[in-house]
Amino acid sequence: MSIPPGYAGKVLIIYLDHEASEILPLDRFWKTYEIDPQKWLGGDGVITKILWEDYHTAIDPLDPENEIVIATGPWTATAAPQSGRAMLGCIDPKTGGFSSGSFGWFFPSMLKYAGFDIVILKGKAKRPIYIFIDDQKVLFRDASHLWGKETSETVRMVREELGERYEGEIRVLSISVAGEHLVKYSPPCSDGTSCPGRSGAGTVMGSKNLKAVAVRGTGEVSLFDPHGLLDSSYLAIKSLIEKEPLIKLWREYGATTSLGTAMDWPISGAMLVKNREEADFPHLKNVGCLDCPNPCYHWLQIKKGKYSGLRHLGGHMTFLTVCLRNLGIQEFGEWIYFERLLQELGLDPASFSMTYSWAVDCFERGMLTLEDTDGMTLKRGDAELICEVARRVAYRQGKLGDLLADGVAEASQRIGRGSERIAPHVKGKEYIQRDAKVQALMWSLGALTSPRGGDWLRHHNVWELAFFPEKRDTYLKWIGKTCTEVYKESLERLDMPEGLKKKIFGDSQRVDLEWIESPKGKALFSVWTENLVALFNSLVTCMFGSATMFLMVGIGPTTYSEILNKITGWNTSYDELMRIGDRIFNLQRLFNYRIKGWDHKDDTFADQRAYEPAQMGIYKGRVVPWNEVLQEYYRIRGWSKEGVPTKAKIEELDLGEATKALDLPEEIN
Amino acid sequence: MAEEKVIVFDPLYCSGCMYCMTACSTYHQGSTSLSKSRIHIVRHEGHAIANMMEEDHLIFDLITCQQCDQPYCQYLCPALAIEKDPMTGALKVNHDRCIGCRMCMVGCPFGAILYDSNRKQVLKCELCGGEPQCVRFCISGALKFLPKDLSHLVQRDRFGREKIRHHFKKVEGESR
Amino acid sequence: MGSLKRQMQFVIIGNGIAGMSAAFAIRRLQKEARIIILSEDPNPTYSPCILPDYLSGEINRTRVFIRGFLDYLRENIQLSIPQKVVGLDIENKNVLLQNGHLPYDRLIIATGSKPMIPSIPGLDKEGVFTFKSIGDVDKIHTWKGFRAVVVGSGPIGVEVGLALKNRGYQVSLVECMERILPQVFDEYPSSRIQEVLEKNGIEVTTGERIIEILGQKRVEGVLSNRGKRRCDTVILATGMRPERGLVDKIIPPGEWGGIKVNHRMETGLQDIYACGDCVETASLIDERPILSLLWHNARRQGEAAGINAAGISKIYPGSLPMTGLEVFDLRAFSIGYIGASIDSNLDIIEERRNGGYRRAVLSRGVIVGIQSINWEEDIGFFFSAILRKEKMGLKKAFLSLRSPLFYIPKPFPLGRKFFKMETARIDIK
């Protein structure tokens, strides 16, 4: 097998025990792991396959046996739109199951320019070290002086030590104090900017005594049809910029724009835009990763209040959602400070916020006492208190810090007293609490079925949220269109075969806002979205700009196949690509089933409030029939009643060889 | 002779996506790379983020050939390999002649010429025969391809915007 | 009317880069004029700067030529080669040829330079070469030798040494001064280059003066103040001097022995201009008269001479010494004056960065020269600073003068005000 264009062509395996490294040609590596690039692409697909081959039973995630896989894809570092992304995977320190996360900024592209598609970190170093990948050279350097330094300080010191000649020449993926103290939800951070947030890989890196990975790449990525690629990319970008109704707002205000659509912000866009005047660099454009037509990092400078003068590049959705909804932080400056602090400490905002939020709930119900909280009265809305708790958690300091550092699932197990019944997690991983209140069916379903526990990013279908009855006249005024118009346009441009569209939406010619409020077709739409997410995570490209963002009309599988063919010279089609997504999602499910035994019984919310009558949305006043929804979902997926992929499904996806050893059900639900 | 045009850059519009660089190397090299791009975006975002208390300043800057009227690269070339394209006014490297001595790099006051160690020759911006790919892919509109005698407008525009920002801080949200 | 008007006749003596640039510059301005180039060399214009590459075999012979006969034909420039000019008759505006004479309206002298040959015995032996024209290189190409002594270590000496090394010769570089490249680099950079040369097997001796070339018919060795040295090839690279034989009697020589011209390349005699290696012009840096003997100066001089001869005033800004060398994995550049050539108020600023080195030469606080080793990415900024005659009394100004690409702002404090983790933590009760 020869290496197709679009791949850098080398795999780097690092043995931290001996501080040794091995460089393998990509095709030989593929052969060893039985990876056919046309079936797995790269990124998430390759990570899934590597973890599948390497782990047959459950392991302790913090054991040296755990490995970290950084995988780029054929899309990465080419001239295709949004090519600055890669995936980082490991065994999740919280759930013990599959975990991976997408991250960007310029580390992934530098890695590929250095000549590596995949980097695997194995074992545990005897002393704190960091790794420098200088094109094809690999250096191991002492990091004891970096130990205990927070994210951007680490980045700066590493770059300085390695003799960076100009800014941006060396890119650093580093962990912070939270990772060192083995806080269970710590992500690594690329250049202090972009994190594979929900992967928990920072904790694994900490357990391996690995402070940072730095990379300098000066090489190039070959292409099959460079000029064709440029033309296709240009068309894709142009149609995204011109047709997507929200993109103008997005390019102006960054990722927080989608608060108006994805989150049920009370008066959506309006307030956000107003608030931004207090903290903003109005004369600078948003900044993004490599080749990004719709950058999401917003320049922020706080002009008023306690933190006035603080500068930050970010303003991301997750932070702002949790701040507002779960932590009750109202002031914009405090949001930004909180975002920056969590980034400096290396804490996953969703997990930390949900853990804190849970602790407040417990405290209010008397499940946690002043003794447990080191004398602090836990409450929402107090930014200073929350930041203090975040610091304690990152350092595992005091009783409360140590308790919350393990995350909701373990902490609730530890204190008991009924706190398990209000712990917001699925399979051990926190999800944002709003989901349990069930205003959007698909969104919550995504948290149940995600391969990495309670997580919305493997689904991220904003369709329902965007047209929610409560919001039909809010954010839309910012784009100057009516709800019906946007719905009609979006439906027309949705990159989906007509047959499938009909199955999901009924008669697609008719504007049917009723669809939003009925459960009909939603399981099918969810499956399609999950496959799509698995697909672009293996390419690897970005969610912001893909079809799961922006009312599902971003860059869709048709464009993916068109551009991918230009990069690699293959002849893939829409169906083939969606099948790849399906295959990857199924193997992730099987992987978790094999090592953790996760099936239908685990597809549940630990928080029992999810099984109470919903307060808003489709099932307002009723209990969501989770079991029925799941069974429909399993049926569409071709899984058994127990939520396990059937033999027929496995064979359909060419997974036969891989799953021989497993005893899989025959019968589809 | 067609009207001579140049690439001009407005740093305030730049989003640092470096699409210009990847598009450039893809178009000319046939493979994507940042190091072989004839146009280079300089980044100082780390500085801007980290120096939190400092007055904001420009984060991005551009290094590319300005297609000088008195090109030192051309004077210095011992092989007469740099020639002016009569159609676009771009200074082009004749790769049949270039011997890779790098004298042109030394003479360039902008540092816009780079050395290709594979070919042992120099590379420079040649305006893609009149349709620069970097400008085509600059979604944020920071790069513009303007006639030489209009190129000052970008600076004026920027200067004007900065003035406005300075004087009317209150309405800066709208002033863009 | 136009057809009746007699066209101007421009005569250019010399077909180097200066003469050629002058001819093409005239043609750009005057489409009808007659332009005649006279040259002794039977070849069309070639670049002597790339002769070492041809000698080493990196490029083939055709690439040395930068203009072919067709180019002249296309521009309607009459190329009369080989044609020896024996004298000038300035009274009657005639160029005297071996058989006849050629009238001119404007005359441009671009006779170039010739190698300086030391007066030592044994120069007539087979295996002694100079290095100036393509003919010299052709001769070396056909010569079969194994051990070469290169006399003189200017840029030409070093480049010839490298080229011969590439051809498989065993090369000794002999310099009579106390360091190699004495005109181009100061002590430290010079010693760095010497180190690299020696490391790669080129023997370098300084302070050695060749007294005699030994041998019967062929070269068998050289005798120097240090003793005998066996070799079969001797390359004389002891420098160049302006070729001004044609006007020796008419125009008095300048300080350095070149034809003195003003900024318009006028010699002072009516309708006679001079350009290229044979002239002596004001320096771009401080207006002192210098010989440039460098390609880019000759090229701009030629253009200026041509434009002025065509009747349009054009100022030649002055000559600037500038040398680039690639010695194995080391790249060295020198622009402007070196420290040794500045007599008063000399300041040196040195900077080192992993393996790279550069040295700025300042005179009265103004930057007049820069030398760099393995650090050329942003040397163009210094080049333009020299052109601007930038005052750089302070080191700070020097350090700030670099490409925005390599401008790393001061180490950032990272907002310690906000994120002093250790101290900000509240003590636990």
Side-chain angles (χ1 to χ4, degrees), chain C residues 173-312:
Chain C
L173 205 56
V174 177
E175 171 62 50
C176 63
M177 309 273 271
E178 73 284 1
R179 61 168 197 273
I180 62 162
L181 296 157
Q183 307 285 329
V184 188
F185 286 100
D186 281 332
E187 295 83 6
Y188 176 75
S190 165
S191 69
R192 280 281 296 272
I193 298 169
Q194 188 170 345
E195 252 169 51
V196 173
L197 284 171
E198 283 169 350
K199 205 178 77 193
N200 286 285
I202 291 179
E203 190 198 345
V204 182
T205 49
T206 52
E208 183 171 355
R209 187 178 295 274
I210 303 293
I211 299 166
E212 195 185 340
I213 297 171
L214 306 170
Q216 299 295 319
K217 198 173 159 220
R218 289 172 63 115
V219 174
E220 281 163 18
V222 289
L223 179 70
S224 76
N225 56 350
R226 300 263 179 91
K228 262 187 175 174
R229 196 185 273 280
R230 286 176 55 80
C231 66
D232 50 24
T233 311
V234 173
I235 312 274
L236 297 171
T238 40
M240 296 284 168
R241 62 187 168 85
E243 169 65 71
R244 46 182 290 280
L246 212 52
V247 289
D248 205 11
K249 303 272 158 41
I250 317 166
I251 307 169
E255 251 174 77
W256 299 93
I259 303 171
K260 201 146 176 88
V261 291
N262 64 7
H263 277 295
R264 289 200 173 78
M265 313 314 293
E266 294 160 348
T267 54
L269 297 175
Q270 204 186 352
D271 293 337
I272 300 184
Y273 300 80
C275 58
D277 285 2
C278 58
V279 305
E280 186 179 317
T281 55
S283 155
L284 184 64
I285 300 166
D286 58 2
E287 294 286 317
R288 71 164 95 153
I290 57 166
L291 290 173
S292 73
L293 302 175
L294 289 169
W295 174 266
H296 64 280
N297 291 330
R299 184 167 175 183
R300 296 195 75 184
Q301 284 167 359
E303 268 187 33
I307 294 171
N308 281 310
I312 292 169

Side-chain angles (χ1 to χ4, degrees), chain A residues 18 93 293 321 366 400 491 525 579 607 643 663:
Chain A
H18 320 292
T321 325
L400 183 71
L491 202 57
F525 202 7
R579 217 160 80 99
D607 189 347
D663 185 21

Side-chain angles (χ1 to χ4, degrees), chain A residues 240-253:
Chain A
L240 179 68
I241 297 294
E242 276 163 15
K243 290 179 182 161
E244 168 54 47
L246 269 179
I247 201 102
K248 201 163 167 278
L249 270 182
W250 176 282
R251 280 156 59 81
E252 204 89 341
Y253 298 109

Side-chain angles (χ1 to χ4, degrees), chain B residues 22-91:
Chain B
T22 52
C24 178
S25 58
T26 306
Y27 188 79
H28 291 283
Q29 304 287 115
S31 57
T32 313
S33 146
L34 293 180
S35 54
K36 293 287 186 296
S37 167
R38 291 142 164 86
I39 187 169
H40 200 111
I41 294 291
V42 181
R43 315 174 61 94
H44 297 311
E45 81 270 357
H47 178 68
I49 298 168
N51 280 327
M52 296 175 179
M53 301 310 291
E54 259 184 31
E55 188 54 35
D56 44 26
H57 72 278
L58 301 179
I59 317 289
F60 300 107
D61 211 339
L62 174 79
I63 298 181
T64 192
C65 177
Q66 305 293 308
Q67 318 295 354
C68 306
D69 286 337
Q70 291 219 348
Y72 271 90
C73 54
Q74 196 183 17
Y75 297 139
L76 286 170
C77 180
L80 246 57
I82 298 180
E83 292 156 346
K84 207 167 190 118
D85 185 329
M87 286 311 291
T88 59
L91 292 157

